[in-house]
Amino acid sequence: MKNVYTLTYSLLILLLMSCEKQYGKYIEAVTDITVLNQQGQNLLADPATYSKKDINIYYVINGQSVLYDKSFLSTDRGIEDKGFHITNEGSPMIRIYLNFDINRKDTHPVTLIKFGTSKIDTINTEFEYIGRSVFLRKIWFNGVEKKQEFTIIK
């Protein structure tokens, strides 16, 4: 009987170890932004003022702004592959992949975003690293604390 308990316990430990390898990482490092003009019109809706090619994302790394350009990824410009996604209310938003590096464990990285010819906006973030997972805890847009999904006026 002791061998049955030992075998069961050993199998349970192996199962838990394999689950951690397969499912042990969670990364939450995106923000969704609605972009409106002064009149309340969505600048991402057709006819869009801003398309994916009009928006540049920069990561601040070691004090230097680096254009996010990973042409081999579906998020090649730091923006969701389709550029925009539609909310439940039918309003287009842009999904930005925020600056973070799980290896550096930088808890307050900075992402810059430039819409067309407008001034560069700053997205400051606070991340928490737990094991192999990354959690977005706070986000500021141009110094104002926001929720993970927010609206800006351009």
Side-chain angles (χ1 to χ4, degrees):
M1 191 68 160
K2 183 177 178 181
N3 288 340
V4 172
Y5 288 124
T6 303
L7 179 63
T8 303
Y9 181 71
S10 298
L11 288 173
L12 181 62
I13 295 298
L14 287 172
L15 177 65
L16 290 174
M17 288 173 58
S18 68
C19 287
E20 181 180 291
K21 288 178 186 171
Q22 190 173 9
Y23 303 106
K25 185 188 290 186
Y26 177 77
I27 298 175
E28 178 187 295
V30 297
T31 188
D32 297 325
I33 302 173
T34 300
V35 184
L36 304 178
N37 64 14
Q38 296 289 341
Q39 292 75 35
Q41 297 167 315
N42 191 320
L43 299 178
L44 305 174
D46 286 331
T49 301
Y50 298 118
S51 68
K52 185 176 175 180
K53 66 179 176 48
D54 299 316
I55 302 167
N56 288 313
I57 305 297
Y58 299 86
Y59 288 176
V60 177
I61 300 171
N62 297 324
Q64 299 294 315
S65 301
V66 178
L67 178 65
Y68 186 100
D69 185 11
K70 310 283 185 200
S71 56
F72 56 91
L73 296 176
S74 63
T75 57
D76 60 341
R77 296 174 52 82
I79 304 169
E80 179 129 318
D81 186 38
K82 295 180 180 70
F84 310 116
H85 69 281
I86 306 298
T87 65
N88 292 338
E89 297 81 32
S91 178
M93 304 177 82
I94 185 169
R95 174 161 285 171
I96 304 295
Y97 287 80
L98 299 166
N99 181 14
F100 85 97
D101 183 344
I102 197 163
N103 297 318
R104 282 197 333 251
K105 301 228 180 209
D106 184 0
T107 57
H108 292 85
V110 178
T111 303
L112 304 174
I113 182 169
K114 183 163 177 51
F115 291 90
T117 59
S118 68
K119 72 176 186 70
I120 293 178
D121 296 300
T122 303
I123 300 174
N124 295 87
T125 52
E126 180 179 302
F127 287 104
E128 182 177 5
Y129 297 87
I130 301 173
R132 296 173 28 193
S133 298
V134 180
F135 299 93
L136 178 62
R137 294 299 186 212
K138 292 184 179 181
I139 187 167
W140 296 265
F141 184 82
N142 293 335
V144 178
E145 189 169 357
K146 301 286 187 178
K147 295 184 180 193
Q148 193 166 354
E149 182 180 299
F150 60 93
T151 300
I152 61 172
I153 306 297
K154 284 284 172 191

